[in-house]
Amino acid sequence: MKILVTGGLGYIGSHAVVELLNENYDVVVIDDLSNSSRDIVDKIKEITGKDIVFYENDVRDEAVLEEIFTKHKIDAVMHFAGYKAVGESVQKPILYYENNLGSTLSLCKKMLEHECYKFIFSSSATVYGDPERLPLTEDCRVGGTTNPYGTSKLMIERILSDIHIANPKFTPVILRYFNPIGAHKTGLIGEKPNGIPNNLMPYIVRVASGELEILSIFGNDYDTKDGTGVRDYIHVVDLAKGHLSALKKAMNDEGIFYYNLGTGTGYSVLEMVQNFEKVNGVKVPYKMVDRRPGDIASCYSDASKAYEELGWKAELGLEDMMRDSYNFILKQNEK
Ligand code: NAD
Ligand code: UFG
């Protein structure tokens, strides 16, 4: 079976490609390298011993999509390509809507033209806005997103639903990720944000490795166990495996499906720092600062639907996430 993976050299996409190759799928990747690099193709080969077909192109380039769908018999698409920086999306909304919506529309159009109907989409817990209740189940209210990035995910979910209504064979599996962290255990692939990281884990590892001086904890007056923000962190390899389970569902069923991909457990920022220090035996200096605008107090999943319907649940724990995140950055710094 042949799978087209858009954004397949990025953080989550590259881990999904590894899992697909490990399960003997044929993989075609399209990635414009706007947030990744070509050497990931070699890293994937080093991990799996297998080759992918790689197109260095923008997903919005419909002539290239036409070539891909004509040349390869694509059975299903995993769509990871898109921009994801929340702060940047506030500054550059047009860029975000153009890329995130545009890439999805071009892709779906070409899929329908080529009678390819199975679509796995990278959505986000951000679509729930300020959670109606916790833990979040898939039937919780969506909306109230606070930035163009989050709104683009919500809009895409709606677009996929409309396409499905018009073409019932078109089967989107919408995966709402909670907070992916960690890296492949080889340390060969992981998350490499450009510049100063916005997200917690990439910031912690850079403080631990001495590249950044001190972690700022955004708020200690939330209504949570210790006042700091609570999130549902999930190992990226578990997340990648969730895509294979979603793919099997899509191949065997018709409809539109929504799943939370999380562990079901929330940890506070302070717990994350303490766990990181314990697992890796390093200090992470921190200071308390004001809340970050747009942040919510707590966000964690009820992940039982994915287990019941896909047979998937997260297997790796916080210790694996901490160890693998740090191992990846240490390996990067060796070079
Ligand atoms: P990433 O930036 O590492 O990967 C995205 C990849 O897509 C990059 O390799 C980039 O070069 C490529 N790309 C972007 N626009 C493209 C285009 N128009 N054509 C071709 N390639 C393009 O991001 P990630 O963390 O791996 O996220 C993957 C997906 O999951 C994204 O859609 C993101 O919004 C979503 N998501 C991520 C998180 C997270 O915390 N990382 C959480 C929820 C959802
Ligand atoms: N935090 C800090 N200091 C930092 C960075 C983060 O204290 O330097 C705190 C935040 O306030 C929050 C927690 O750590 O309480 C997690 O923050 P992240 O930025 O790592 O993650 P978010 O939950 O804010 O957002 C992430 C992705 C979004 C996605 C969302 C979905 O960045 O793209 O999860 O739940 F939409």
Side-chain angles (χ1 to χ4, degrees):
M1 213 185 306
K2 202 175 264 190
I3 315 299
L4 174 62
V5 183
T6 77
L9 300 191
Y11 173 45
I12 305 169
S14 59
H15 288 84
V17 168
V18 164
E19 296 306 319
L20 284 167
L21 293 171
N22 284 343
E23 296 235 341
N24 294 320
Y25 289 94
D26 293 319
V27 177
V28 177
V29 166
I30 177 167
D31 195 308
D32 65 1
L33 306 185
S34 54
N35 198 32
S36 51
S37 52
R38 186 176 267 276
D39 66 318
I40 303 298
V41 175
D42 306 322
K43 301 280 168 58
I44 290 171
K45 170 112 195 224
E46 206 177 325
I47 294 171
T48 62
K50 292 179 183 161
D51 288 308
I52 58 170
V53 177
F54 175 52
Y55 288 82
E56 184 185 334
N57 292 99
D58 191 313
V59 179
R60 289 168 290 177
D61 186 334
E62 291 185 13
V64 172
L65 290 183
E66 180 62 31
E67 186 190 323
I68 292 175
F69 281 101
T70 305
K71 208 161 163 189
H72 306 275
K73 160 109 199 41
I74 302 292
D75 295 286
V77 175
M78 288 187 184
H79 182 35
F80 295 95
Y83 296 148
K84 63 164 182 178
V86 171
E88 187 184 52
S89 79
V90 176
Q91 305 302 322
K92 301 175 181 169
I94 296 175
L95 188 76
Y96 271 66
Y97 287 123
E98 247 175 13
N99 191 25
N100 294 3
L101 271 61
S103 62
T104 309
L105 289 170
S106 296
L107 202 50
C108 291
K109 186 166 126 192
K110 283 292 157 195
M111 285 177 70
L112 293 180
E113 281 173 21
H114 290 266
E115 298 180 351
C116 175
Y117 298 118
K118 310 298 186 181
F119 191 75
I120 316 295
F121 177 60
S122 301
S123 191
S124 165
T126 196
V127 300
Y128 294 114
D130 200 351
E132 178 189 2
R133 60 170 186 274
L134 290 168
L136 282 155
T137 49
E138 289 80 352
D139 57 359
C140 278
R141 185 203 57 222
V142 295
T145 47
T146 53
N147 56 75
Y149 164 71
T151 306
S152 76
K153 292 290 173 191
L154 195 60
M155 287 172 155
I156 294 169
E157 288 200 3
R158 188 61 190 269
I159 289 169
L160 295 176
S161 163
D162 288 340
I163 300 175
H164 166 72
I165 290 166
N167 308 270
K169 280 189 174 176
F170 181 72
T171 298
V173 185
I174 292 169
L175 302 177
R176 294 175 176 157
Y177 309 161
F178 282 69
N179 289 52
I181 60 170
H184 195 265
K185 64 177 183 316
T186 57
L188 289 170
I189 53 173
E191 190 174 20
K192 240 189 322 189
N194 294 325
I196 309 274
N198 292 306
N199 298 114
L200 181 64
M201 202 61 200
Y203 209 105
I204 289 181
V205 293
R206 276 170 183 74
V207 172
S209 67
E211 287 166 67
L212 293 170
E213 210 174 312
I214 189 162
L215 170 73
S216 294
I217 297 186
F218 300 140
N220 61 351
D221 56 352
Y222 285 109
D223 183 17
T224 59
K225 45 190 139 184
D226 57 25
T228 65
V230 167
R231 296 291 184 275
D232 182 344
Y233 297 92
I234 174 170
H235 197 295
V236 66
V237 171
D238 275 333
L239 188 68
K241 289 181 175 167
H243 289 70
L244 271 74
S245 305
L247 175 62
K248 284 172 193 144
K249 171 80 177 170
M251 298 314 294
N252 293 322
D253 231 326
E254 262 176 30
I256 179 162
F257 305 99
Y258 299 83
Y259 297 104
N260 286 340
L261 294 188
T263 64
T265 305
Y267 290 101
S268 73
V269 178
L270 270 179
E271 284 176 322
M272 293 296 283
V273 170
Q274 285 154 3
N275 261 287
F276 185 92
E277 290 183 330
K278 193 166 137 226
V279 170
N280 293 310
V282 281
K283 275 282 170 214
V284 179
Y286 64 83
K287 61 179 179 195
M288 296 296 176
V289 302
D290 285 347
R291 291 180 179 193
R292 182 170 64 177
D295 271 359
I296 51 178
S298 298
C299 178
Y300 52 94
S301 67
D302 177 329
S304 54
K305 187 176 178 216
Y307 185 56
E308 281 153 22
E309 295 188 12
L310 305 179
W312 171 90
K313 68 174 166 49
E315 305 281 350
L316 299 167
L318 206 53
E319 199 175 316
D320 302 289
M321 302 186 216
M322 299 299 173
R323 192 196 51 234
D324 295 341
S325 297
Y326 196 44
N327 178 41
F328 173 69
I329 200 80
L330 293 181
K331 275 227 159 177
Q332 294 299 305
N333 292 348
E334 272 170 19
K335 286 187 239 156

